[in-house]
Amino acid sequence: MANSVERAVGIDIGGTGMKAGIVDLVNGELVSERVRIPTPEGAKPKAVLATVKELLELLGPDAAGLPVGICFPTIVKNGKTLSAANVSKKWIDFDADAFFEEGLGQPIHFVNDADAAGLAELRYGGAKEQPGLTILTTLGTGIGSAVLFNGELVPNAELGHLQWNGESIEKYAATSARERLQLSWEDWGGRLQEFYDHLEFLFSPDLILIGGGVSKNPEKFLPFIKTRAEIRIATHANNAGIIGAASLAL
């Protein structure tokens, strides 16, 4: 779409919640209330589509006619979803672009949720004009990641699925693991330390950014993490997915 587009709707579909907002694409800011609905149990395609429609209704007439970008916690390639770590297996090898365009009656832009957050940070946030290698991690139901190198996104980097003791490291270190095991913030910080140590050993990033729902409480866990690279909270925190998905209209 033309760069003259100034506003778009961003929709962030997560494992536990679905969020949406209207985004000013010039400044990379929400210009509406952020609306949220719990992700339907099982997160099957038809139920997710119905919830997307509810979110658009909640945004009201200001959202009518605007381009729509959607981000989703799976590998996304050429409009298809190719994985399903925290959602229904029905999304595997699913033509999500065509499904949502038909269901919403308009063109949409579809992207992995962590990649959307990475785009928000590249275009409007902490990774803007950042040289070298930046790794954004989103901590939530799982661990999403965006790899950013010299101002470019390397798509579909699934670093939350690095193997750790025989399974994906997100099962050990995601926010959901802290909640499931009722870990203290310090104990969970120790698990995150192991995760970031592993990332630094493999990739030697210049900057690490943290997003996801827990990023609104950095004082509770960030003091327990020490890295060689600078580590800080993503500029757009838990709104990064919405902003990055909307920015696909550009």
Side-chain angles (χ1 to χ4, degrees), residues 5 7-12 19-25 32 35 52 55-56 59-60 62-71 106 109 241-249:
V5 174
R7 289 190 175 189
V9 173
I11 298 174
D12 183 352
K19 307 175 288 290
I22 299 172
V23 177
D24 175 341
L25 298 180
S32 73
V35 295
V52 166
L55 288 169
L56 290 171
L59 289 175
D62 288 344
L66 292 179
V68 174
I70 300 174
C71 65
Q106 70 175 89
H109 305 273
I242 293 173
I243 293 169
S247 77
L248 294 174

Side-chain angles (χ1 to χ4, degrees), residues 26 103 173:
V26 177

